[in-house]
Amino acid sequence: MRWALLLLTLLLGACTPNPTARVGGEGWRASLEWAPTRPRALQPATLRLRIGDDSGRPLAVTNLQVRASMPEMTHEPEEILFRQTGPGRYEAQHTFSMDGRWEIKVAGEAEGVRILATFTLHVGP
């Protein structure tokens, strides 16, 4: 019985979706998903960015720039290099330098729309 409970717990944990943050502006919507659920400093994390218009249609972003910074710290922001994986979909691997609260700032343009998004991500225990 204990093995069945353990197996069920592991399976349910594996099915849990990754955390996602969503923001939007005039003419666009963006979401950022990350794994593991709670990234840790000095360990790689996967970040997935999706950008679309108000109806959900994917937008191809030009001049995409993403930076991660800690508002409470004075060190320079860390650049995050995303690669396009599909229409309006981008993915990056990033290793955060410290535990704490990070702001992920996204900037770019898509079909005449300026995209400026800020996501908050907590790194560490």
Side-chain angles (χ1 to χ4, degrees):
M1 182 67 172
R2 279 191 234 165
W3 286 104
L5 183 57
L6 178 61
L7 181 59
L8 180 61
T9 302
L10 289 173
L11 288 173
L12 287 175
C15 295
T16 303
N18 292 326
T20 304
R22 291 177 173 78
V23 296
E26 192 171 321
W28 61 271
R29 299 281 176 254
S31 66
L32 181 70
E33 178 183 292
W34 55 90
T37 300
R38 189 71 179 232
R40 296 192 179 268
L42 307 178
Q43 296 181 11
T46 300
L47 304 171
R48 290 183 186 91
L49 178 65
R50 293 182 183 189
I51 300 174
D53 65 14
D54 287 332
S55 68
R57 184 178 60 86
L59 291 174
V61 179
T62 58
N63 302 320
L64 181 65
Q65 296 179 351
V66 183
R67 302 209 189 305
S69 63
M70 298 182 79
E72 294 82 19
M73 304 301 275
T74 58
H75 59 79
E76 292 293 314
E78 298 175 2
E79 185 175 13
I80 301 177
L81 299 175
F82 278 83
R83 64 180 177 82
Q84 188 169 9
T85 60
R89 294 175 178 229
Y90 306 86
E91 186 172 302
Q93 296 290 316
H94 186 71
T95 301
F96 292 94
S97 60
M98 298 176 67
D99 285 341
R101 183 172 69 91
W102 287 82
E103 286 185 349
I104 312 298
K105 295 188 179 205
V106 176
E109 295 179 19
E111 298 178 21
V113 175
R114 181 82 175 135
I115 296 166
L116 295 171
T118 301
F119 300 94
T120 299
L121 172 66
H122 294 277
V123 174

Tab-separated table of all heavy atoms in Angstrom, residues 66-117:
chain	number	residue	atom	x	y	z
A	66	VAL	N	16.054	40.388	-23.264
A	66	VAL	CA	15.566	39.954	-21.959
A	66	VAL	C	16.703	40.097	-20.961
A	66	VAL	O	17.818	39.623	-21.196
A	66	VAL	CB	15.058	38.498	-21.998
A	66	VAL	CG1	14.499	38.102	-20.645
A	66	VAL	CG2	13.999	38.330	-23.086
A	67	ARG	N	16.402	40.749	-19.851
A	67	ARG	CA	17.392	40.947	-18.792
A	67	ARG	C	16.779	40.571	-17.457
A	67	ARG	O	15.602	40.817	-17.214
A	67	ARG	CB	17.854	42.392	-18.745
A	67	ARG	CG	18.457	42.863	-20.056
A	67	ARG	CD	19.482	43.932	-19.854
A	67	ARG	NE	19.981	44.584	-21.022
A	67	ARG	CZ	20.531	44.042	-22.089
A	67	ARG	NH1	20.610	42.767	-22.179
A	67	ARG	NH2	20.987	44.748	-23.087
A	68	ALA	N	17.607	39.980	-16.609
A	68	ALA	CA	17.182	39.600	-15.263
A	68	ALA	C	17.963	40.442	-14.265
A	68	ALA	O	19.190	40.553	-14.358
A	68	ALA	CB	17.449	38.114	-15.022
A	69	SER	N	17.249	41.040	-13.320
A	69	SER	CA	17.918	41.851	-12.304
A	69	SER	C	17.251	41.622	-10.957
A	69	SER	O	16.120	41.137	-10.877
A	69	SER	CB	17.869	43.336	-12.671
A	69	SER	OG	16.527	43.784	-12.700
A	70	MET	N	17.984	41.967	-9.920
A	70	MET	CA	17.471	41.884	-8.553
A	70	MET	C	17.278	43.313	-8.052
A	70	MET	O	18.265	44.031	-7.855
A	70	MET	CB	18.439	41.125	-7.657
A	70	MET	CG	18.660	39.692	-8.093
A	70	MET	SD	19.759	38.810	-6.964
A	70	MET	CE	18.586	38.437	-5.640
A	71	PRO	N	16.030	43.746	-7.862
A	71	PRO	CA	15.774	45.136	-7.475
A	71	PRO	C	16.496	45.559	-6.184
A	71	PRO	O	16.863	46.721	-6.047
A	71	PRO	CB	14.264	45.190	-7.284
A	71	PRO	CG	13.732	44.032	-8.046
A	71	PRO	CD	14.800	42.986	-8.041
A	72	GLU	N	16.718	44.633	-5.268
A	72	GLU	CA	17.340	44.975	-3.993
A	72	GLU	C	18.869	44.985	-4.056
A	72	GLU	O	19.527	45.311	-3.080
A	72	GLU	CB	16.908	43.990	-2.892
A	72	GLU	CG	15.432	44.053	-2.537
A	72	GLU	CD	14.548	43.251	-3.499
A	72	GLU	OE1	15.059	42.376	-4.218
A	72	GLU	OE2	13.338	43.527	-3.538
A	73	MET	N	19.441	44.600	-5.199
A	73	MET	CA	20.893	44.486	-5.321
A	73	MET	C	21.419	45.525	-6.309
A	73	MET	O	20.669	46.064	-7.107
A	73	MET	CB	21.274	43.077	-5.785
A	73	MET	CG	20.745	41.972	-4.898
A	73	MET	SD	21.309	42.110	-3.202
A	73	MET	CE	22.868	41.289	-3.334
A	74	THR	N	22.717	45.766	-6.251
A	74	THR	CA	23.319	46.774	-7.120
A	74	THR	C	24.085	46.180	-8.300
A	74	THR	O	24.596	46.923	-9.123
A	74	THR	CB	24.283	47.667	-6.318
A	74	THR	OG1	25.283	46.848	-5.717
A	74	THR	CG2	23.525	48.446	-5.249
A	75	HIS	N	24.176	44.845	-8.391
A	75	HIS	CA	24.938	44.281	-9.503
A	75	HIS	C	24.200	44.461	-10.825
A	75	HIS	O	22.995	44.656	-10.869
A	75	HIS	CB	25.311	42.808	-9.259
A	75	HIS	CG	24.157	41.890	-9.052
A	75	HIS	ND1	23.403	41.397	-10.084
A	75	HIS	CD2	23.628	41.351	-7.932
A	75	HIS	CE1	22.467	40.603	-9.613
A	75	HIS	NE2	22.576	40.565	-8.308
A	76	GLU	N	24.952	44.399	-11.904
A	76	GLU	CA	24.410	44.599	-13.251
A	76	GLU	C	23.391	43.513	-13.600
A	76	GLU	O	23.515	42.376	-13.149
A	76	GLU	CB	25.547	44.564	-14.277
A	76	GLU	CG	26.488	45.747	-14.177
A	76	GLU	CD	25.814	47.050	-14.548
A	76	GLU	OE1	25.101	47.099	-15.569
A	76	GLU	OE2	25.992	48.025	-13.791
A	77	PRO	N	22.401	43.854	-14.425
A	77	PRO	CA	21.443	42.835	-14.885
A	77	PRO	C	22.150	41.751	-15.687
A	77	PRO	O	23.186	41.983	-16.301
A	77	PRO	CB	20.486	43.619	-15.778
A	77	PRO	CG	20.662	45.040	-15.413
A	77	PRO	CD	22.078	45.180	-14.941
A	78	GLU	N	21.558	40.554	-15.666
A	78	GLU	CA	22.070	39.426	-16.430
A	78	GLU	C	21.250	39.309	-17.710
A	78	GLU	O	20.023	39.312	-17.662
A	78	GLU	CB	21.948	38.134	-15.621
A	78	GLU	CG	22.746	38.154	-14.338
A	78	GLU	CD	22.545	36.919	-13.469
A	78	GLU	OE1	21.791	35.984	-13.869
A	78	GLU	OE2	23.130	36.882	-12.376
A	79	GLU	N	21.926	39.206	-18.845
A	79	GLU	CA	21.222	39.028	-20.107
A	79	GLU	C	20.796	37.567	-20.238
A	79	GLU	O	21.555	36.659	-19.908
A	79	GLU	CB	22.119	39.403	-21.277
A	79	GLU	CG	21.404	39.342	-22.610
A	79	GLU	CD	22.255	39.839	-23.752
A	79	GLU	OE1	23.473	40.008	-23.580
A	79	GLU	OE2	21.682	40.049	-24.829
A	80	ILE	N	19.570	37.354	-20.699
A	80	ILE	CA	19.069	36.005	-20.958
A	80	ILE	C	18.853	35.885	-22.462
A	80	ILE	O	18.105	36.672	-23.049
A	80	ILE	CB	17.755	35.725	-20.198
A	80	ILE	CG1	17.966	35.892	-18.688
A	80	ILE	CG2	17.263	34.311	-20.511
A	80	ILE	CD1	16.713	35.702	-17.869
A	81	LEU	N	19.519	34.925	-23.063
A	81	LEU	CA	19.443	34.747	-24.514
A	81	LEU	C	18.390	33.697	-24.856
A	81	LEU	O	18.575	32.512	-24.598
A	81	LEU	CB	20.810	34.334	-25.063
A	81	LEU	CG	21.922	35.349	-24.820
A	81	LEU	CD1	23.253	34.784	-25.280
A	81	LEU	CD2	21.617	36.659	-25.525
A	82	PHE	N	17.280	34.146	-25.412
A	82	PHE	CA	16.196	33.261	-25.832
A	82	PHE	C	16.383	32.892	-27.295
A	82	PHE	O	16.855	33.698	-28.090
A	82	PHE	CB	14.841	33.954	-25.660
A	82	PHE	CG	14.299	33.888	-24.268
A	82	PHE	CD1	14.708	34.792	-23.310
A	82	PHE	CD2	13.378	32.918	-23.915
A	82	PHE	CE1	14.202	34.744	-22.021
A	82	PHE	CE2	12.869	32.861	-22.631
A	82	PHE	CZ	13.281	33.769	-21.683
A	83	ARG	N	15.976	31.685	-27.645
A	83	ARG	CA	15.937	31.265	-29.041
A	83	ARG	C	14.479	30.980	-29.386
A	83	ARG	O	13.701	30.525	-28.538
A	83	ARG	CB	16.813	30.038	-29.287
A	83	ARG	CG	16.365	28.803	-28.557
A	83	ARG	CD	17.286	27.609	-28.850
A	83	ARG	NE	16.868	26.460	-28.086
A	83	ARG	CZ	15.882	25.634	-28.430
A	83	ARG	NH1	15.231	25.824	-29.546
A	83	ARG	NH2	15.555	24.614	-27.670
A	84	GLN	N	14.113	31.272	-30.622
A	84	GLN	CA	12.740	31.035	-31.059
A	84	GLN	C	12.544	29.544	-31.287
A	84	GLN	O	13.353	28.894	-31.943
A	84	GLN	CB	12.439	31.819	-32.329
A	84	GLN	CG	10.976	31.754	-32.708
A	84	GLN	CD	10.618	32.741	-33.797
A	84	GLN	OE1	11.473	33.378	-34.402
A	84	GLN	NE2	9.324	32.855	-34.060
A	85	THR	N	11.455	28.994	-30.728
A	85	THR	CA	11.147	27.568	-30.892
A	85	THR	C	9.893	27.350	-31.731
A	85	THR	O	9.559	26.217	-32.042
A	85	THR	CB	10.971	26.886	-29.526
A	85	THR	OG1	9.900	27.522	-28.815
A	85	THR	CG2	12.254	26.957	-28.710
A	86	GLY	N	9.202	28.425	-32.062
A	86	GLY	CA	7.979	28.361	-32.855
A	86	GLY	C	7.393	29.753	-32.936
A	86	GLY	O	7.928	30.689	-32.349
A	87	PRO	N	6.279	29.927	-33.659
A	87	PRO	CA	5.664	31.247	-33.748
A	87	PRO	C	5.297	31.782	-32.359
A	87	PRO	O	4.545	31.146	-31.618
A	87	PRO	CB	4.415	31.014	-34.597
A	87	PRO	CG	4.698	29.750	-35.349
A	87	PRO	CD	5.567	28.925	-34.441
A	88	GLY	N	5.875	32.899	-31.984
A	88	GLY	CA	5.577	33.524	-30.699
A	88	GLY	C	6.095	32.766	-29.495
A	88	GLY	O	5.734	33.074	-28.362
A	89	ARG	N	6.961	31.765	-29.702
A	89	ARG	CA	7.487	30.942	-28.606
A	89	ARG	C	9.010	31.030	-28.565
A	89	ARG	O	9.672	30.908	-29.596
A	89	ARG	CB	7.085	29.486	-28.781
A	89	ARG	CG	5.607	29.265	-28.664
A	89	ARG	CD	5.284	27.824	-28.980
A	89	ARG	NE	3.869	27.616	-28.827
A	89	ARG	CZ	3.338	26.621	-28.137
A	89	ARG	NH1	4.102	25.721	-27.572
A	89	ARG	NH2	2.036	26.506	-28.039
A	90	TYR	N	9.520	31.190	-27.353
A	90	TYR	CA	10.951	31.359	-27.155
A	90	TYR	C	11.375	30.562	-25.919
A	90	TYR	O	10.593	30.410	-24.980
A	90	TYR	CB	11.285	32.849	-26.970
A	90	TYR	CG	10.751	33.684	-28.104
A	90	TYR	CD1	9.440	34.167	-28.079
A	90	TYR	CD2	11.519	33.939	-29.228
A	90	TYR	CE1	8.922	34.890	-29.135
A	90	TYR	CE2	11.003	34.664	-30.295
A	90	TYR	CZ	9.709	35.140	-30.239
A	90	TYR	OH	9.195	35.846	-31.293
A	91	GLU	N	12.609	30.089	-25.933
A	91	GLU	CA	13.096	29.296	-24.807
A	91	GLU	C	14.543	29.670	-24.504
A	91	GLU	O	15.309	29.994	-25.408
A	91	GLU	CB	13.007	27.807	-25.127
A	91	GLU	CG	13.372	26.926	-23.945
A	91	GLU	CD	13.097	25.460	-24.203
A	91	GLU	OE1	11.929	25.127	-24.490
A	91	GLU	OE2	14.051	24.665	-24.104
A	92	ALA	N	14.897	29.606	-23.223
A	92	ALA	CA	16.265	29.899	-22.789
A	92	ALA	C	16.634	29.014	-21.613
A	92	ALA	O	15.772	28.592	-20.842
A	92	ALA	CB	16.391	31.364	-22.387
A	93	GLN	N	17.912	28.752	-21.511
A	93	GLN	CA	18.488	28.130	-20.324
A	93	GLN	C	19.254	29.241	-19.621
A	93	GLN	O	20.027	29.963	-20.264
A	93	GLN	CB	19.451	26.999	-20.701
A	93	GLN	CG	18.798	25.844	-21.405
A	93	GLN	CD	17.898	25.052	-20.476
A	93	GLN	OE1	18.255	24.757	-19.356
A	93	GLN	NE2	16.707	24.732	-20.951
A	94	HIS	N	19.033	29.388	-18.316
A	94	HIS	CA	19.732	30.451	-17.588
A	94	HIS	C	20.086	29.957	-16.200
A	94	HIS	O	19.310	29.232	-15.567
A	94	HIS	CB	18.861	31.704	-17.488
A	94	HIS	CG	19.573	32.867	-16.886
A	94	HIS	ND1	20.569	33.541	-17.562
A	94	HIS	CD2	19.462	33.457	-15.677
A	94	HIS	CE1	21.028	34.505	-16.788
A	94	HIS	NE2	20.374	34.467	-15.636
A	95	THR	N	21.251	30.377	-15.730
A	95	THR	CA	21.693	30.065	-14.372
A	95	THR	C	21.734	31.378	-13.604
A	95	THR	O	22.553	32.256	-13.905
A	95	THR	CB	23.083	29.399	-14.389
A	95	THR	OG1	22.991	28.208	-15.180
A	95	THR	CG2	23.528	29.038	-12.989
A	96	PHE	N	20.821	31.531	-12.651
A	96	PHE	CA	20.773	32.750	-11.845
A	96	PHE	C	21.947	32.756	-10.860
A	96	PHE	O	22.291	31.731	-10.276
A	96	PHE	CB	19.437	32.838	-11.089
A	96	PHE	CG	18.278	33.045	-12.009
A	96	PHE	CD1	17.543	31.957	-12.482
A	96	PHE	CD2	17.918	34.315	-12.425
A	96	PHE	CE1	16.479	32.140	-13.341
A	96	PHE	CE2	16.854	34.512	-13.295
A	96	PHE	CZ	16.131	33.417	-13.749
A	97	SER	N	22.556	33.915	-10.678
A	97	SER	CA	23.772	34.015	-9.877
A	97	SER	C	23.516	34.017	-8.372
A	97	SER	O	24.431	33.731	-7.600
A	97	SER	CB	24.544	35.278	-10.267
A	97	SER	OG	23.746	36.433	-10.038
A	98	MET	N	22.293	34.348	-7.946
A	98	MET	CA	21.987	34.451	-6.514
A	98	MET	C	20.553	34.017	-6.238
A	98	MET	O	19.702	34.118	-7.113
A	98	MET	CB	22.136	35.906	-6.036
A	98	MET	CG	23.510	36.508	-6.153
A	98	MET	SD	23.500	38.254	-5.660
A	98	MET	CE	23.149	38.102	-3.911
A	99	ASP	N	20.312	33.596	-4.994
A	99	ASP	CA	18.944	33.368	-4.537
A	99	ASP	C	18.306	34.722	-4.246
A	99	ASP	O	18.984	35.677	-3.863
A	99	ASP	CB	18.936	32.530	-3.250
A	99	ASP	CG	19.242	31.064	-3.494
A	99	ASP	OD1	19.118	30.606	-4.643
A	99	ASP	OD2	19.615	30.376	-2.528
A	100	GLY	N	16.991	34.799	-4.414
A	100	GLY	CA	16.264	36.029	-4.103
A	100	GLY	C	15.211	36.321	-5.153
A	100	GLY	O	14.899	35.498	-6.013
A	101	ARG	N	14.662	37.524	-5.079
A	101	ARG	CA	13.610	37.957	-6.005
A	101	ARG	C	14.257	38.591	-7.235
A	101	ARG	O	15.044	39.519	-7.126
A	101	ARG	CB	12.678	38.966	-5.333
A	101	ARG	CG	11.518	39.393	-6.219
A	101	ARG	CD	10.521	40.238	-5.458
A	101	ARG	NE	11.037	41.532	-5.109
A	101	ARG	CZ	10.911	42.637	-5.853
A	101	ARG	NH1	10.280	42.583	-6.995
A	101	ARG	NH2	11.405	43.778	-5.442
A	102	TRP	N	13.887	38.065	-8.393
A	102	TRP	CA	14.400	38.546	-9.661
A	102	TRP	C	13.269	39.160	-10.475
A	102	TRP	O	12.137	38.696	-10.425
A	102	TRP	CB	15.012	37.395	-10.463
A	102	TRP	CG	16.315	36.924	-9.924
A	102	TRP	CD1	16.515	36.060	-8.889
A	102	TRP	CD2	17.611	37.295	-10.384
A	102	TRP	NE1	17.862	35.871	-8.681
A	102	TRP	CE2	18.551	36.618	-9.592
A	102	TRP	CE3	18.071	38.136	-11.399
A	102	TRP	CZ2	19.919	36.762	-9.781
A	102	TRP	CZ3	19.428	38.267	-11.598
A	102	TRP	CH2	20.331	37.587	-10.788
A	103	GLU	N	13.596	40.193	-11.239
A	103	GLU	CA	12.675	40.752	-12.221
A	103	GLU	C	13.213	40.411	-13.602
A	103	GLU	O	14.376	40.685	-13.902
A	103	GLU	CB	12.548	42.266	-12.066
A	103	GLU	CG	11.746	42.668	-10.862
A	103	GLU	CD	11.512	44.169	-10.785
A	103	GLU	OE1	12.137	44.941	-11.558
A	103	GLU	OE2	10.698	44.563	-9.944
A	104	ILE	N	12.369	39.789	-14.416
A	104	ILE	CA	12.718	39.437	-15.780
A	104	ILE	C	12.045	40.473	-16.674
A	104	ILE	O	10.820	40.527	-16.757
A	104	ILE	CB	12.225	38.011	-16.142
A	104	ILE	CG1	12.595	36.991	-15.072
A	104	ILE	CG2	12.708	37.625	-17.527
A	104	ILE	CD1	14.061	36.809	-14.839
A	105	LYS	N	12.844	41.307	-17.332
A	105	LYS	CA	12.306	42.374	-18.179
A	105	LYS	C	12.488	41.997	-19.648
A	105	LYS	O	13.587	41.697	-20.092
A	105	LYS	CB	12.987	43.694	-17.874
A	105	LYS	CG	12.684	44.148	-16.457
A	105	LYS	CD	13.181	45.522	-16.167
A	105	LYS	CE	12.784	45.849	-14.734
A	105	LYS	NZ	12.672	47.250	-14.489
A	106	VAL	N	11.370	42.017	-20.363
A	106	VAL	CA	11.320	41.637	-21.772
A	106	VAL	C	10.990	42.878	-22.590
A	106	VAL	O	10.067	43.622	-22.255
A	106	VAL	CB	10.233	40.552	-22.002
A	106	VAL	CG1	10.108	40.209	-23.470
A	106	VAL	CG2	10.513	39.331	-21.157
A	107	ALA	N	11.740	43.081	-23.667
A	107	ALA	CA	11.475	44.202	-24.567
A	107	ALA	C	11.600	43.705	-26.006
A	107	ALA	O	12.426	42.838	-26.303
A	107	ALA	CB	12.460	45.338	-24.317
A	108	GLY	N	10.772	44.255	-26.877
A	108	GLY	CA	10.836	43.911	-28.289
A	108	GLY	C	9.710	44.582	-29.047
A	108	GLY	O	8.943	45.368	-28.478
A	109	GLU	N	9.611	44.269	-30.326
A	109	GLU	CA	8.556	44.819	-31.177
A	109	GLU	C	7.940	43.700	-31.993
A	109	GLU	O	8.626	42.757	-32.387
A	109	GLU	CB	9.132	45.872	-32.117
A	109	GLU	CG	9.651	47.086	-31.397
A	109	GLU	CD	10.245	48.120	-32.343
A	109	GLU	OE1	9.940	48.071	-33.552
A	109	GLU	OE2	11.007	48.957	-31.865
A	110	ALA	N	6.642	43.822	-32.244
A	110	ALA	CA	5.931	42.834	-33.051
A	110	ALA	C	4.786	43.519	-33.773
A	110	ALA	O	3.897	44.078	-33.134
A	110	ALA	CB	5.397	41.705	-32.178
A	111	GLU	N	4.839	43.516	-35.092
A	111	GLU	CA	3.767	44.066	-35.920
A	111	GLU	C	3.381	45.485	-35.490
A	111	GLU	O	2.207	45.805	-35.324
A	111	GLU	CB	2.553	43.129	-35.906
A	111	GLU	CG	2.866	41.760	-36.476
A	111	GLU	CD	1.701	40.808	-36.435
A	111	GLU	OE1	0.537	41.254	-36.332
A	111	GLU	OE2	1.949	39.588	-36.526
A	112	GLY	N	4.380	46.324	-35.271
A	112	GLY	CA	4.129	47.712	-34.902
A	112	GLY	C	3.755	47.926	-33.449
A	112	GLY	O	3.445	49.049	-33.058
A	113	VAL	N	3.769	46.883	-32.652
A	113	VAL	CA	3.421	46.982	-31.238
A	113	VAL	C	4.699	46.887	-30.414
A	113	VAL	O	5.515	45.993	-30.623
A	113	VAL	CB	2.442	45.844	-30.836
A	113	VAL	CG1	2.167	45.858	-29.346
A	113	VAL	CG2	1.158	45.949	-31.624
A	114	ARG	N	4.887	47.803	-29.490
A	114	ARG	CA	6.042	47.776	-28.583
A	114	ARG	C	5.698	46.901	-27.394
A	114	ARG	O	4.668	47.083	-26.747
A	114	ARG	CB	6.378	49.198	-28.123
A	114	ARG	CG	7.557	49.271	-27.204
A	114	ARG	CD	8.851	49.259	-27.996
A	114	ARG	NE	9.957	49.457	-27.076
A	114	ARG	CZ	11.055	48.739	-27.106
A	114	ARG	NH1	11.211	47.799	-27.996
A	114	ARG	NH2	12.015	48.965	-26.254
A	115	ILE	N	6.558	45.924	-27.116
A	115	ILE	CA	6.328	45.001	-26.007
A	115	ILE	C	7.315	45.318	-24.895
A	115	ILE	O	8.529	45.317	-25.108
A	115	ILE	CB	6.476	43.547	-26.472
A	115	ILE	CG1	5.388	43.241	-27.494
A	115	ILE	CG2	6.430	42.575	-25.293
A	115	ILE	CD1	5.589	42.003	-28.281
A	116	LEU	N	6.785	45.619	-23.719
A	116	LEU	CA	7.581	45.828	-22.515
A	116	LEU	C	6.883	45.060	-21.393
A	116	LEU	O	5.783	45.426	-20.973
A	116	LEU	CB	7.664	47.311	-22.161
A	116	LEU	CG	8.395	48.208	-23.158
A	116	LEU	CD1	8.212	49.670	-22.805
A	116	LEU	CD2	9.877	47.848	-23.197
A	117	ALA	N	7.508	44.010	-20.940
A	117	ALA	CA	6.896	43.142	-19.920
A	117	ALA	C	7.882	42.928	-18.788
A	117	ALA	O	9.083	42.796	-19.026
A	117	ALA	CB	6.495	41.799	-20.523
